Amino acid sequence: MARVPSAVVAATGLVGGYGVARWTKKRQLGGAVLAVAGAAAAQQWRTRAGGKAAGALTAAYVAAFAGSHPLAKKVGAWPAVLGVAGVVAAASWAVADRKA
């Protein structure tokens, strides 16, 4: 089975969580998508880069989620979500996926 890069999992969690919440109008469902993808990415980060890196990347994932809200007021919801997802994906690739 092909290995999905953690950068893709993390970005998909941020974008997918927002998309599910928006389209279903159920924030809890979007939060569940965000949490499941975040947990899966964290597991990959721990396996590939170690505990400290996983902790830092998990903090970045949570900060990206939180930071997308005020950013959305300035640039719009989708640009904010896509922007923070891109930042988290780049960090994930640099720290955990690039070595593979």
Side-chain angles (χ1 to χ4, degrees):
M1 187 158 140
R3 192 173 82 154
V4 178
S6 62
V8 172
V9 175
T12 300
L14 290 162
V15 174
Y18 174 69
V20 166
R22 181 171 177 142
W23 290 315
T24 65
K25 301 200 185 323
K26 296 185 186 322
R27 293 179 69 172
Q28 299 86 351
L29 190 55
V33 170
L34 180 81
V36 168
Q43 176 63 36
Q44 287 181 315
W45 293 329
R46 188 174 338 111
T47 301
R48 296 176 188 169
K52 287 183 182 181
L57 288 168
T58 300
Y61 185 82
V62 172
F65 167 69
S68 68
H69 291 81
L71 182 59
K73 292 179 181 179
K74 296 181 189 290
V75 300
W78 277 113
V81 170
L82 293 172
V84 300
V87 169
V88 170
S92 180
W93 177 83
V95 172
D97 296 332
R98 179 176 52 167
K99 299 173 187 171

